[in-house]
Amino acid sequence: MAELSTLLRRSCPGPHWAPCLAAILVAALAACTSPSLTGGGVGGQENATIASAHPPPSETTPAPTPGGQIPGATATVGLLVPLTGPNAALGQALTQAAEMALFDSGNQTTALVVHDTEDPAGPAAAAQSALDQGANILLGPVFAAHAKAVGPIAAAAHVPVIAFTTDRSVAGPGLYVMGILPGLQIDRDVSYAAGQGYKRFAALLPNTPYGHAVADALGPATARYNASEAQVEFYDPNSFEFSQIIQKLAADGPFDALLIPERGARLRSIAPLLGFYNIDTTKIKILGSSLWTDPGLATEPALVGAWFAAPSASAWAGFGQRYRAAYASDPPRLASIAYDAMSTAASLAKMGDFSDSVLTRADGFSGVDGAFRFNPDGLVERNLDVLEVHTNGFDVKDPAPRDFQPQLTN
């Protein structure tokens, strides 16, 4: 197992940390190819370890103690991401976001150990390697199947997992799902629209696990807010021909709100057909999801005035600027999940408590994507903005609530 140790806070004092951090990371990556080190590095290597508690690397990297603990660290966070294969770029970005969060926390005695879930030995072996290094908490994996493999390994070690997936089926006590769950977005959509007088909800959904998750959330949400589910239609997710399904939707009405949680080219193919088949978007409220966070959608007339629920974007701009300054690239949208998870782990490390009771505390945590908290069943609860589409972009129609309500089943 290759290791690389860097002291971020001590090496980059003062407010201008980002360029300094970028220089350190570039130097560290270059050092990974030097015969004087044992190898490893961030992104593209089989495994990498970054420990913020250490001085800058010398001729050799200190080995873990017999118990596996990183020397000098009082807590260790394991990050499980793809560092090789087709998703290596995403894994590197998530690693960089986690590094940035650890630096921002000012925590100089917490180690971050990074392991590749695409290693031939698999995600369970990656998790075991992190646990062998003394990990007190595991962040990731990205994919639901990997989280299912990691869960039993972590549970046996009594170590919590914060997975980055949106698949609620992997959640359970001790395995927390960090992604922006579809059910939370639908609940927020329906709650706000019903409060504005819209009472009959229809949905046009892809015939995918995501589409069915939305459908499963719609019925309980309409019941919760004294509305009704008028109809749900599923379409082939590989098709760009929507005339027949939209015509059927219009003929089977009536409804006064239509949910279309789609993105990109398919959403742009669907939207112009609504008016053609007499779905009057000046009277029927079109609703979306966080998939709509694409400024290009504002150019579609049928979507102007539509609403969608998404994490608060107020902190995203600043996060993106700092990430670009440090790494000279734009962060993928998932980077904020890794940043917020690492910030949470660093906070727990300062407390010296990684227990489920602290992870599920009622007041939750704050992050780039706004306030969030974990329920005992492993699902995340988030306060979301409701945004409105305008010809020049999005406006916040209804800000995310500041306080949490009692835990929801989402």
Side-chain angles (χ1 to χ4, degrees):
M1 163 63 196
E3 294 185 2
L4 178 66
S5 299
T6 4
L7 181 59
L8 301 180
R9 174 63 66 181
R10 294 175 189 166
S11 300
C12 296
H16 304 294
W17 64 270
C20 174
L21 176 56
I24 285 178
L25 293 173
V26 170
L29 286 170
C32 292
T33 62
S34 171
S36 66
L37 294 179
T38 57
V42 179
Q45 299 295 331
E46 183 178 359
N47 289 300
T49 302
I50 299 173
S52 72
H54 293 175
S58 57
E59 288 299 310
T60 60
T61 302
T65 63
Q69 184 70 43
I70 301 298
T74 60
T76 300
V77 178
L79 179 65
L80 309 178
V81 290
L83 296 176
T84 55
N87 296 299
L90 174 62
Q92 180 175 351
L94 298 181
T95 301
Q96 292 173 166
E99 291 168 355
M100 196 167 82
L102 182 56
F103 183 92
D104 287 349
S105 74
N107 189 329
Q108 298 184 31
T109 60
T110 293
L112 172 61
V113 296
V114 185
H115 290 268
D116 185 11
T117 54
E118 299 301 318
D119 183 273
Q128 188 61 61
S129 294
L131 294 171
D132 289 345
Q133 290 181 282
N136 303 100
I137 189 170
L138 299 178
L139 309 182
V142 175
F143 305 110
H146 289 176
K148 290 178 180 178
V150 165
I153 303 294
H158 305 288
V159 169
V161 178
I162 299 179
F164 299 157
T165 178
T166 59
D167 188 338
R168 56 176 289 148
S169 70
V170 308
L175 201 166
Y176 302 96
V177 172
M178 183 76 172
I180 315 296
L181 299 178
L184 294 175
Q185 300 169 54
I186 304 314
D187 188 89
R188 180 72 165 114
D189 274 343
V190 173
S191 170
Y192 183 72
Q196 304 305 306
Y198 297 95
K199 295 298 183 181
R200 291 181 58 82
F201 290 76
L204 185 60
L205 307 174
N207 191 11
T208 63
Y210 171 77
H212 285 276
V214 170
D216 290 344
L218 182 59
T222 54
R224 188 177 296 122
Y225 300 109
N226 298 315
S228 63
E229 180 183 311
Q231 64 194 101
V232 174
E233 298 291 344
F234 291 96
Y235 56 84
D236 181 351
N238 298 312
S239 174
F240 280 89
E241 173 47 57
F242 303 103
S243 297
Q244 188 173 6
I245 196 74
I246 294 175
Q247 189 174 17
K248 183 179 186 305
L249 185 73
D252 291 347
F255 50 86
D256 56 14
L258 174 60
L259 178 65
I260 312 175
E262 188 50 274
R263 74 169 88 206
R266 285 189 178 82
L267 181 57
R268 292 185 177 88
S269 296
I270 291 170
L273 295 174
L274 300 176
F276 186 82
Y277 289 106
N278 299 316
I279 296 176
D280 186 350
T281 57
T282 65
K283 298 178 180 178
I284 295 172
K285 181 57 65 177
I286 307 302
L287 304 173
S289 70
S290 63
L291 296 177
W292 282 25
T293 50
D294 171 7
L297 296 180
T299 63
E300 176 49 59
L303 298 180
V304 172
W307 298 334
F308 66 98
S312 175
S314 60
W316 173 261
F319 168 75
Q321 289 174 355
R322 292 185 297 113
Y323 185 98
R324 283 188 289 274
Y327 303 111
S329 62
D330 290 327
R333 193 61 186 86
L334 196 60
S336 60
I337 300 291
Y339 182 94
D340 288 352
M342 184 65 226
S343 295
T344 299
S347 175
L348 300 181
K350 288 180 180 179
M351 298 169 58
D353 190 348
F354 293 89
S355 66
D356 290 332
S357 61
V358 174
L359 273 164
T360 58
R361 66 191 192 191
D363 57 345
F365 306 90
S366 62
V368 172
D369 289 325
F372 64 94
R373 67 179 177 187
F374 296 112
N375 294 344
D377 61 4
L379 296 175
V380 71
E381 185 178 348
R382 293 179 177 275
N383 287 340
L384 304 175
D385 285 346
V386 173
L387 303 173
E388 184 172 70
V389 180
H390 292 285
T391 54
N392 59 347
F394 309 132
D395 286 339
V396 177
K397 185 71 173 178
D398 189 48
R402 292 180 176 273
D403 300 320
F404 282 107
Q405 300 301 311
Q407 269 87 346
L408 297 174
T409 300
N410 39 62

